[in-house]
Amino acid sequence: MRLRPPAWTATLTWKAALFITVMCCALATLLGALVHVAVTRQTVGNARDKALTKLEDVTRLYEAGDRLPPGSGVDPAGLPESLRALAADGRRGTIVADHDGRPTMWAAGPADRGRTIAAEVDYTQGAKTIEGLDRAIAGSAVLAIGATLLVGAFAVTRVTRRLHQTATVARRIGAGDLDARVDDPRTKDPSRAQDEVATVAGALDTMAATLQAKLESEQRFTADVAHELRTPLTGLHAAAELLPPGRPAELVRERVQTMRVLTEDLLEISRLDARREQVDLDCHPLGPLAERAVRASGTDTEVRVVRDVCVETDRRRLERVLGNLVANAHKHGRAPVVVTVDGPVLSVRDHGDGFPSYLVEHGPQRFRTEGGAHGHGLGLTIAAGQARVLGARLTFTNAADGGAVATLRLPYAEGEAGCGEPS
């Protein structure tokens, strides 16, 4: 089984913190190593100079036959074998080694008859100096990394917070809230230099404003056209009623009625797009409400009430949604058509070929139908718009054994007070 890292590791804050930590550790290690090497070289060099100076003094005393001072001698015990071999080879050298439990700087050179003369210098203070320096470097590195992380986290968090705000506004715009704006203060002053986040926020606000202007222009155009068509269509309908009976008169009345329905649908969509619709909420039991909507549709539709509940909703709008779903099921699907009430969830199912894939994935699209279906594709668009006004969720799926299923989930809290039959 492949293990995936936690989701928080994908955030920019975590990546920036990791990058800052790695770079601080690398920099602290490099600087610490340079300081350690420099100080160690200086400390060891001073101790070596002292040891070699002492060795020269001891050598002169030895050659003069005088008594050697403490810490020196010929072939002394404890002299490292590597340094003894170097002196036996006729050369001088120094080495740091432990002697009697303390660090010691040894200096040795050749003496007569193949012997070695050596001198030692206490290196305890030098070793403590290097050890203290290493502790200071480690402590300073930890403090520097901690301080850098805090400052870096603060700076990165400010950037990521602005990015999150921009992303939230983008999602709101995608959900249909075209009034959403980032309003980054850095974009308000043209003379002020903008960073990349402010540039993105400004571009998003400009895009949203342009999109909103275009959509509002299209909505006004649609509403104006539909409104202007109402008057001539009303006169045309009245004139069609005066035609003598016959097939031509029936065709004219049918086409006029289709035009009137289309015009009313366009006006309704325009109102829904404007998002200014007000709901008239009241408590209604869903079972009787669904039965009444089905009766009003004049279709042969079965109503099944699995569990009836009372919800606070706008009855007229809910009946409009159910009526459109039922009409669509009969028009584009096949019988039997069943409306099921299961708590606050209503579903309308037919046994036809199912919804097209674009509708299941993206929802209804006005003036789009497939498979030679008749109609202008506004019924489901209106149903989705009215469901949004009600605060309900309308989804479209296909049943596993065939047929289209439209599911409407109404807002409902368990334990709501009951209500009587709707008037």
Side-chain angles (χ1 to χ4, degrees):
M1 181 179 178
R2 184 179 178 182
L3 297 178
R4 293 185 176 181
W8 58 266
T9 59
T11 61
L12 183 60
T13 303
W14 184 87
K15 292 179 180 178
L18 179 62
F19 175 77
I20 293 173
T21 303
V22 171
M23 293 304 296
C24 286
C25 290
L27 183 60
T29 302
L30 177 61
L31 293 177
L34 292 176
V35 173
H36 174 84
V37 170
V39 174
T40 300
R41 182 178 297 172
Q42 181 180 4
T43 305
V44 172
N46 292 336
R48 180 182 292 112
D49 292 341
K50 291 180 180 180
L52 289 175
T53 300
K54 184 176 181 179
L55 179 63
E56 291 177 357
D57 294 340
V58 170
T59 302
R60 283 195 297 270
L61 292 174
Y62 176 73
E63 291 175 349
D66 294 337
R67 183 179 179 181
L68 301 181
S72 62
V74 178
D75 290 334
L79 181 65
E81 292 300 325
S82 59
L83 190 57
R84 191 187 300 274
L86 183 67
D89 197 32
R91 293 179 292 171
R92 287 186 175 188
T94 58
I95 193 172
V96 177
D98 285 338
H99 180 57
D100 293 335
R102 58 184 176 83
T104 302
M105 172 65 76
W106 287 95
D112 56 352
R113 296 191 296 275
R115 293 184 296 177
T116 301
I117 186 170
E120 63 178 272
V121 174
D122 188 5
Y123 189 67
T124 303
Q125 188 60 40
K128 288 183 178 179
T129 300
I130 296 176
E131 184 179 352
L133 175 67
D134 290 341
R135 287 198 298 267
I137 291 175
S140 300
V142 172
L143 290 177
I145 291 173
T148 306
L149 271 178
L150 290 176
V151 175
F154 174 74
V156 172
T157 301
R158 289 190 63 186
V159 175
T160 55
R161 186 183 301 116
R162 292 167 60 197
L163 288 174
H164 281 306
Q165 180 184 1
T166 304
T168 300
V169 171
R171 283 191 288 267
R172 288 173 57 189
I173 294 173
D177 184 7
L178 298 181
D179 292 323
R181 297 291 186 273
V182 180
D183 286 332
D184 193 316
R186 295 167 181 80
T187 63
K188 303 301 181 183
D189 186 2
S191 62
R192 184 178 181 181
Q194 297 183 10
D195 58 10
E196 289 78 0
V197 180
T199 302
V200 172
L204 179 63
D205 286 349
T206 302
M207 180 199 70
T210 303
L211 179 62
Q212 184 178 30
K214 289 183 177 179
L215 289 178
E216 289 179 350
S217 176
E218 293 178 359
Q219 292 169 7
R220 285 193 300 269
F221 175 77
T222 302
D224 291 343
V225 169
H227 188 270
E228 291 298 326
L229 286 175
R230 280 180 115 180
T231 301
L233 282 176
T234 302
L236 188 59
H237 177 75
E241 294 296 329
L242 299 177
L243 293 175
R247 181 59 180 167
E250 293 178 0
L251 291 175
V252 171
R253 295 190 189 98
E254 181 181 340
R255 296 298 182 268
V256 171
Q257 181 61 25
T258 301
M259 287 289 293
R260 292 186 67 183
V261 172
L262 176 58
T263 302
E264 294 299 328
D265 287 348
L266 287 175
L267 284 172
E268 185 172 358
I269 287 178
S270 298
R271 291 192 298 269
L272 292 172
D273 286 342
R275 296 179 180 269
R276 296 188 180 91
E277 294 284 85
Q278 299 294 325
V279 292
D280 182 15
L281 297 178
D282 200 358
C283 289
H284 302 280
L286 284 184
L289 192 150
E291 292 173 352
R292 180 167 50 209
V294 168
R295 286 197 303 268
S297 68
T299 59
D300 184 15
T301 303
E302 178 184 358
V303 178
R304 298 175 183 172
V305 180
V306 178
R307 180 170 66 96
D308 195 9
V309 295
C310 184
V311 297
E312 187 178 19
T313 188
D314 188 323
R315 186 185 69 184
R316 179 183 64 83
R317 296 182 188 278
L318 182 55
E319 289 179 348
R320 175 70 162 151
V321 174
L322 284 176
N324 281 16
L325 294 179
V326 170
N328 183 81
H330 283 280
K331 191 171 187 177
H332 301 289
R334 287 192 295 270
V337 176
V338 181
V339 175
T340 303
V341 179
D342 188 0
V345 180
L346 298 94
S347 62
V348 180
R349 178 186 176 180
D350 62 54
H351 290 75
D353 298 327
F355 290 119
S357 58
Y358 81 87
L359 195 150
V360 174
E361 295 175 4
H362 307 291
Q365 300 178 20
R366 60 194 68 176
F367 295 108
R368 178 173 179 179
T369 57
E370 290 189 356
H374 299 288
H376 42 70
L378 297 181
L380 294 183
T381 302
I382 292 174
Q386 294 289 7
R388 184 180 62 248
V389 174
L390 292 173
R393 182 186 176 195
L394 180 60
T395 58
F396 303 92
T397 57
N398 291 321
D401 54 347
V405 182
T407 304
L408 181 68
R409 291 174 173 82
L410 293 167
Y412 176 74
E414 293 292 340
E416 285 185 355
C419 55
E421 291 290 328
S423 59

